[in-house]
Amino acid sequence: MKHQWMAMLLFAPMVWLEVPPSFAQSLFDRPPTRVMIHNPESTEGLRNRTTITVVVPEDAGNSLQEIVLRQLPNLDQWDWGHLEPRVYLGDYSLRGKGNSGLASAVVSESEEVLKIQLTPAIQPGQTVNVVFRGFNPQSSIYQWSTELLAVGEDPVRYVGPTLRLNVYEQDPYR
């Protein structure tokens, strides 16, 4: 009996130090803060190749698994297209096309939220470019808030910068 009490006294602090699974969270040591959006053709109604670029810092401490964009209020929703996004690593390139199968994208029913899942996750020190093909909506200023999620169970949502694109009216004399 004495040995059981001793064992309980020795192991009890270890049990209390364990974090319950509901509190386990994945996080970045230093989250990505360089998030950009590019649209080489900014005239309404034209085919676009919208690219989301994220730089994952070398000291991020974890890989980037998911990017979430929420369109800020606007009369028109952005057209992300119906094709699977393409991904390439490295600096943004005006003609960068990327490879398919490295990311999946889901647009919410309201078309306000775009979730991009990266497979495999983007390692610290890498820059990822996710390319979408669609058509530019009506002329306006389009903005999105960004969230970045690390690999792992129950990831912490890091708020990134607000992204902004201008779409201009068709020039009848062009």
Side-chain angles (χ1 to χ4, degrees), residues 38 40 49-54 85-100 102-103 118 122 126-132:
H38 313 275
R49 192 176 50 194
T50 308
T51 304
I52 310 296
T53 302
V54 179
R86 299 177 69 85
V87 174
Y88 66 94
L89 298 177
D91 294 334
Y92 168 73
S93 170
L94 187 62
R95 302 199 193 297
K97 292 184 179 161
N99 299 311
S100 58
L102 301 176
L118 301 162
I122 305 306
Q126 292 183 317
T127 298
V128 64
N129 297 279
V130 185
V131 183
F132 294 88

Side-chain angles (χ1 to χ4, degrees), residues 22-163:
S22 62
F23 292 114
Q25 291 194 319
S26 303
L27 50 97
F28 291 109
D29 292 341
R30 183 169 166 232
T33 56
R34 291 187 52 212
V35 182
M36 295 148 280
I37 190 166
H38 313 275
N39 188 25
E41 183 57 71
S42 14
T43 304
E44 66 183 6
L46 293 183
R47 179 176 290 281
N48 68 32
R49 192 176 50 194
T50 308
T51 304
I52 310 296
T53 302
V54 179
V55 178
V56 181
E58 286 188 25
D59 56 351
N62 203 345
S63 301
L64 175 66
Q65 182 71 54
E66 187 175 347
I67 305 164
V68 179
L69 275 64
R70 293 181 195 286
Q71 186 172 337
L72 300 178
N74 198 315
L75 293 175
D76 295 308
Q77 299 302 318
W78 192 260
D79 178 10
W80 296 104
H82 298 289
L83 298 175
E84 182 178 293
R86 299 177 69 85
V87 174
Y88 66 94
L89 298 177
D91 294 334
Y92 168 73
S93 170
L94 187 62
R95 302 199 193 297
K97 292 184 179 161
N99 299 311
S100 58
L102 301 176
S104 61
V106 176
V107 178
S108 68
E109 238 179 86
S110 66
E111 297 183 358
E112 293 175 356
V113 179
L114 170 70
K115 291 184 178 184
I116 305 165
Q117 190 80 25
L118 301 162
T119 311
I122 305 306
Q123 301 298 312
Q126 292 183 317
T127 298
V128 64
N129 297 279
V130 185
V131 183
F132 294 88
R133 291 188 169 277
F135 288 90
N136 287 338
Q138 296 294 314
S139 63
S140 186
I141 297 170
Y142 295 86
Q143 298 183 102
W144 298 267
S145 64
T146 58
E147 292 179 356
L148 305 152
L149 289 82
V151 168
E153 200 174 306
D154 192 23
V156 172
R157 294 183 170 274
Y158 290 91
V159 176
T162 299
L163 305 179

